[in-house]
Amino acid sequence: MTAETARAALTPMKVMVKRHGLLVRLNHWVNVIALVLLLGSGLQIFNAHAALYWGKASNFDHPWFSMYAERSKDGAQMKGFTTLGSAKVETTGVFGASKLDGKWQDQGFPGWMTVPGGEFDLTNGRHWHLFFAWVFAVNGLIYLVTGLIGRHLIRDVLPSGRDLKTIFKDPHLRLKFSKGPESARYHQVQKLAYSGVVFLLLPTIALTGMTMSPGLNAAFPFLLDLFGGRQSARSIHFICANLIVAFVIVHLLAVILSGPLNQVRAMLTGKLAIIPSDEEAHS
Amino acid sequence: MNRRTWLRGLLAGVGATIAAGCEKVATAPPALKMLKVAEKWSQGAQRAIIGRHALAPEFTEADISRTFKANGTRRPVDEEYNSHLNTGFSGWKLVVDGLVETPLALTLAELRALPSRTQITRHDCVEGWSCIGKWKGARLSALLDQAKLKPEAKFIVFHCMDTLGASKYYESIDLTDARHEQTILAYDMNGAPVSVEHGAPLRLRVERQLGYKQAKYIGRIEAVASLKGIGGGSGGFWEDFGYEWYAGI
């Protein structure tokens, strides 16, 4: 507990405390921009061959996940389908086949989800993806290196053994957000979620991306063994992207439930308002 | 008009404006010019990390794909190509010219007599799929040694016999890739002469790059100092449409 948060504990009134360092805030917002553009351009690239496989190469008859369109006999109508394993669902209008300016498009993810938007554009999708992959990687490396040297990651983010043992006692699991000085630190569930994202999910999506590069395969053939081949790497890359989307949804919900203005302001200015808990306010 | 339809209309309008705006920004020339610097970063970083001689992974016979997808031209419509195809490429010769001391014209038998390499490698299409195949072909470096490159030669251009869309297919690589051990002019695929859909009689294999660099139906190889005057000037058929010349990722 810092001196500021200690003072906040003693005085039952709103106190501003320093919450996020400048570099962490910069890393956070650069990451937001990079991930949004990487997701949209990634869906664009996926659309070039909307099927995923396991292993070294593509076994075209057996994708574990795919999206495709079926045309009506006159070609005027289109139906979209999404398959997962042996299950097949009609997803006309969204996945497999969607309308763009009134015209049917044979497209995995619809044009409004992709970067660039609209009609299929692999060329520019790749330009956006491979540029922001650099932004994402350099930004992430700066975050990890400074966070490890400055001990922010070990002190504030990585859960301790005790954190893991008491994880089910964390009130955040019941959507109870801390008030008072307790709100100025990460709790067990947050620590585990952020550590999973920072140390596992984001490095895995970067490494599987690199594993898809035929050039880098010559330099780091062990990455192919690690992920089970190039097509497996492509599948894991896609799964990681989905997990990041899931994380961001939960993350945004938590921000909304725990005081969105205060939280967003803290990530912009660095200062978090400590709102006294009920007991303190009444004492 | 009630409030709900009005609000829905407003949201749809705002959404469409943002989407159209994003689309314009995402394909605006200055934006793309900025993004394209990443190709140079990737090329520089990969060339530094990979090293000149590192090999692309090679696989076993058991890994060979049962279906090897063919992309781009699968059946050239070009008259000259078809007349060669009809005579089993008996009168066909590979021309090697440009910035070389000794221009060459080699028959398939002469190409088969050059030092060769057999390799089972993975072909990665820019679309995302991969197929594994066994290729046998003449080492490009052996051919270049025979033709003797002039010192000002910086790139090797592959002029193809097929027309895709409105123009002839072509590709180019630099001397680092041209001299690489796995860079071959393949005449056999999976133990048989390369089929028409895969580029008969001769296709390039440059294994550390994506599929569109693996030019099919090669008719002429030219050594050049610059890619500027060839085709659309970007060094390849797809490159002229905006794809990266360095296709290592």
Side-chain angles (χ1 to χ4, degrees), chain A residues 48-49 56-58 60 116-117 122-124 126-128 130-131 134 213-218 220 224 230-231 234, chain B residues 23 26 32 35 38 41-42 45-46 49-50 55 57 63 122 124 126-131 208 242-244 248-249:
Chain A
H49 186 74
K56 298 167 188 167
S58 306
F60 296 111
L122 177 60
T123 324
N124 291 319
R126 276 172 56 82
H127 292 330
W128 280 91
L130 298 177
F131 179 88
W134 275 102
S213 152
L216 291 179
N217 284 168
F220 311 125
L224 286 165
R230 182 176 192 258
Q231 289 303 316
R234 185 166 176 260
Chain B
E23 201 181 324
L32 295 177
L35 297 176
W41 299 343
S42 297
Q46 290 208 359
I49 292 166
I50 301 166
L55 297 182
D63 294 320
R122 203 190 59 226
D124 299 324
V126 67
E127 293 170 353
W129 51 266
S130 311
C131 291
R208 300 185 298 182
Y243 281 85
E244 293 85 356
I249 184 157

